[in-house]
Structures are given as C-alpha cells and as structure tokens.
C-alpha cells in the first residue's frame, strides 16, 4: 500500500517523554509512514526538535541516532539530580520517587519557595543538551518535516506557537518551563511557561500549515482514570492531568464539529479539510506516578522507550490500513461528558 503521510502531535510529560522517543524510533524505522508535520509541547517539543534536526543531517537513520544520543545525555545529566529512588524502590522495581527524601522535601518546599529563590542563577541542565542536539538553522530550513512548538504566555494565558523559523533554544526551554521548577523563560520581553497549560499538544498548526489530513496524537497523560484519587499527591496529579488535557479535548471538540458540518454538506469539503485523528498510547503508562516524570535513570528511560516501541508497532499493525481512510479513535466518544 506504500508509505502514507501523517502528522504527529507529541504530548509533554517529563521523563515519560522517553515513551515518545520509542514511538518515534518505530515510526522512523518503519517503511509504512512519512512524517510531514509535528507539533510538540515540553518533552514532546524536544523530541520533535531533535528528530527534525537529525533528519535534516541524514534522514530517518540520523534522526533515530540523534534521539538515542539525546536521551542518553539526558540520563547522564540526571545522575547528578537530587531526586533519586530509594534503595527499597530499586530492590522492588518501583520507578516512583514518592519515597525519595529529597523529592518529598522539594514537593513541600515548592509550596512556599519560588524557583527564583531556589534557583537564583536560573540554571537549566537541559540547555547545553538542547544546544548540542538541535541545529536551529536545519530546523528552520527543513521542508520535509515542519516543526511547531507550544509555550504559554504567562501574562495573557494564551498559547504561543513557534513555527519552524521561530524555534530557538529558549522557545524549547519555554515549552518545558514547569513553574514549580524554573523561572519563566523570557522571549522578546515576554515570559513563558510550559506549553501544556494551553496546548498539550496543539493540533491546529498542523491543520493550518500542512496538507496532510491524518494526525497521530502521541499521548502520555491519560484522559480517563478508573479510580478516584484519595491521597493529596494523587489529587494534585489528577488535577494536572485534567488541566493538561483540557486544551486537547477542546480541539478535538472543534474537529468533531467541523467534521459533522462537512458530513451534513454545510461546509464545502474543497475548502475545509476533513481531518482524521489517530492516537498512540499505552496502558502501561497509567500506573506510573507523577513523581516518576523526574526519574532520569537510564534503565527507566529504556523501559519507557520499549513501551513506546511496542505501542507504535501495535498501532501500525492494527491501523495502517485506516490511515488516509478513517479516524481510529471515536472523537465523539472522546469529547462526550
């Protein structure tokens, strides 16, 4: 059936972004799909930027190699992080940091101490890694895969989308600027926080800037959970998941509305593209605690990578024939109350 065109929308999620690394590895190594546009937030934005930069230098093979090296360096940097698993967690194979004394102390202190006080020099260990792996000129010049990065304007509360010619190291850091960890990233005098607040990930740049109708959402944060959170930490985690998925649900609602109008003949299909939505996710991510998003151990990142590869392979096996034909998620069900 040949290679099919897709766009990608990559969610953020800290270390859980290694799941997306695994997904990208499988898609890039596959002979079934071609990636033409990608939007990303936080870790999703970094995955996307590294992929595009590598792709320009040597195609899919170089993109895979760049992602592999990037995550290895992220893990190496995390060895110096104060957030480490306890010995008992390591013995029992628990990836959570919930029992880490330094994580618990940080979790408490973050309620009272701002990043400006805790990190007055505004040191971000990701900056030199991004500078090493993202060739901004290559990203700007790449026409095969168009990159769009989301950040949140602190003053207006609106999403800012950085297009291929606007992506900078600061834009990528802004997209991943968790307010509890870092001071806002200023770009042209405007402060920005994590893009997940207003677009995790944004879909509309793909509809407006590419002619590809099939968008695959690589989802890290679950929309639904079967249990009700009880502990304070679980409540905060669920609030964050709901907040970070709200913008995605709003965009899916808009997609469904336009699709319905096209189907009813109220919109001209020659002028309005009938988009198709797909998703790659894994139930294996759901049990992971929110604190594990700060776990940069290589064994954990490799574990997430393996989950991502399996999820992407399962998607291609089940839905390759559907790409270009139909949605593979029930958008109406996704937005139903």
């Amino acid at each position: 059936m040949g290679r099919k065109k897709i766009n990608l929308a990559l969610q953020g999620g800290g270390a859980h972004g290694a799941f997306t690394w695994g997904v990208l590895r499988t898609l890039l190594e596959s002979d079934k799909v071609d990636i033409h546009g990608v939007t990303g937030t936080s870790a999703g934005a970094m995955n996307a930027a590294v992929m595009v930069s590598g792709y320009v230098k040597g195609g899919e093979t170089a993109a895979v190699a760049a992602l592999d090296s990037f995550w290895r360096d992220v893990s190496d940097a995390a060895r110096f992080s104060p957030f480490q698993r306890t010995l008992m967690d390591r013995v029992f194979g628990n990836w959570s940091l919930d029992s880490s004394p330094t994580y618990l102390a940080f979790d408490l202190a973050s309620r009272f101490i701002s990043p400006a006080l805790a990190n007055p020099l505004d040191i971000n260990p990701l900056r030199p890694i991004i500078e090493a792996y993202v060739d901004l000129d290559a990203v700007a010049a790449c026409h095969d895969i168009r990159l769009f990065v989301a950040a949140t304007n602190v003053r207006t509360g609106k999403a800012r989308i950085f297009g291929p010619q606007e992506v900078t190291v600061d834009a990528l850091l802004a997209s991943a600027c968790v307010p509890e960890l870092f001071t806002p990233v200023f770009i042209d005098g405007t402060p920005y926080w994590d893009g997940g607040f207003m677009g995790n990930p944004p879909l509309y740049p793909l509809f407006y800037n590419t002619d590809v109708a099939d968008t695959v959402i690589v989802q890290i944060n679950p929309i639904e959970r079967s249990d009700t959170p009880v502990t304070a930490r679980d409540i905060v985690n669920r609030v964050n998941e709901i907040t970070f998925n709200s913008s995605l649900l709003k965009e899916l609602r808009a997609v469904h509305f336009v699709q319905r109008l096209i189907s009813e003949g109220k919109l001209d299909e020659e002028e309005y593209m009938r988009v198709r939505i797909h998703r790659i996710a894994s139930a294996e991510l759901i049990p992971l605690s929110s604190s594990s998003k700060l776990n940069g151990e290589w064994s954990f990142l490799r574990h997430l990578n393996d989950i991502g590869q399996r999820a992407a392979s399962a998607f291609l096996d089940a839905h390759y024939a559907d790409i270009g034909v139909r949605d593979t998620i029930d958008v109406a069900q996704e937005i139903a109350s």
Side-chain angles (χ1 to χ4, degrees):
M1 297 177 67
R3 298 172 73 98
K4 296 187 176 183
K5 296 180 180 181
I6 61 170
N7 288 327
L8 294 176
L10 311 181
Q11 279 198 330
H16 291 189
F19 167 81
T20 302
W21 163 34
V23 170
L24 293 176
R25 167 180 268 276
T26 295
L27 296 180
L28 289 165
E29 291 179 339
S30 168
D31 60 357
K32 295 182 177 180
V33 295
D34 281 325
I35 302 167
H36 283 260
V38 56
T39 62
T41 298
S42 193
M46 294 183 189
N47 272 317
V50 172
M51 176 187 71
V52 173
S53 187
Y55 177 86
V56 171
K57 296 179 180 179
E60 288 88 350
T61 300
V64 169
L67 285 164
D68 290 350
S69 297
F70 170 79
W71 281 99
R72 181 80 236 199
D73 282 1
V74 167
S75 178
D76 288 345
R79 288 185 298 176
F80 303 101
S81 169
F83 307 136
Q84 302 291 338
R85 287 189 297 162
T86 65
L87 178 60
M88 292 302 294
D89 285 330
R90 294 174 186 270
V91 170
F92 288 102
N94 181 10
W95 300 112
S96 171
L97 299 176
D98 289 349
S99 300
S100 166
T102 51
Y103 175 77
L104 293 172
F106 162 77
D107 192 37
L108 178 62
S110 65
R111 271 66 168 173
F112 306 99
I113 303 175
S114 72
L117 292 176
N119 184 12
L121 299 180
D122 196 24
I123 297 173
N124 191 323
L126 287 174
R127 181 179 289 276
I129 301 176
I130 295 172
E131 291 174 342
Y133 284 96
V134 179
D135 184 333
L136 299 174
D137 291 334
V139 169
C142 184
H143 299 293
D144 292 340
I145 307 177
R146 303 202 69 200
L147 171 65
F148 304 91
V149 171
T152 301
N153 185 316
V154 177
R155 292 173 180 157
T156 66
K158 298 178 182 179
R160 165 74 189 274
I161 305 300
F162 296 90
Q165 284 75 40
E166 300 170 305
V167 173
T168 62
V169 172
D170 280 342
L172 292 169
L173 291 175
S175 184
C177 183
V178 179
E180 294 84 3
L181 288 175
F182 303 107
T183 57
V185 177
F186 281 80
I187 299 175
D188 297 329
T190 301
Y192 292 95
W193 276 339
D194 194 303
F197 292 112
M198 297 306 297
N200 193 27
L203 303 181
Y204 67 89
L206 299 173
F207 306 153
Y208 293 160
N209 295 283
T210 77
D211 60 358
V212 176
D214 290 80
T215 293
V216 180
I217 301 168
V218 180
Q219 190 159 351
I220 292 175
N221 304 292
I223 290 179
E224 295 186 8
R225 283 189 179 271
S226 59
D227 57 332
T228 301
V230 176
T231 67
R233 186 174 293 110
D234 287 343
I235 292 170
V236 171
N237 179 48
R238 187 57 185 148
V239 168
N240 286 336
E241 288 177 344
I242 292 171
T243 301
F244 277 26
N245 279 323
S246 62
S247 58
L248 175 60
L249 289 173
K250 288 178 181 177
E251 287 202 78
L252 289 177
R253 186 171 288 107
V255 167
H256 178 65
F257 179 65
V258 172
Q259 288 176 327
R260 182 166 60 83
L261 292 180
I262 292 175
S263 297
E264 294 173 354
K266 297 177 180 178
L267 288 179
D268 186 351
E269 197 163 355
E270 295 296 322
E271 295 186 27
Y272 293 88
M273 181 167 59
R274 183 190 292 272
V275 300
R276 293 174 287 270
I277 304 296
H278 315 275
R279 175 169 56 208
I280 297 176
S282 174
E284 293 184 73
L285 296 180
I286 295 177
L288 296 175
S289 71
S290 60
S291 66
S292 66
K293 292 180 179 180
L294 294 175
N295 183 352
E297 294 176 57
W298 183 240
S299 56
F300 181 49
L301 300 183
R302 284 295 312 171
H303 172 64
L304 292 168
N305 175 280
D306 291 341
I307 295 174
Q309 291 190 61
R310 290 196 297 271
S313 295
F315 170 79
L316 290 175
D317 290 343
H319 297 301
Y320 169 68
D322 296 317
I323 297 173
V325 178
R326 61 181 67 87
D327 294 305
T328 56
I329 64 172
D330 187 338
V331 177
Q333 181 62 36
E334 288 290 316
I335 63 176
S337 58

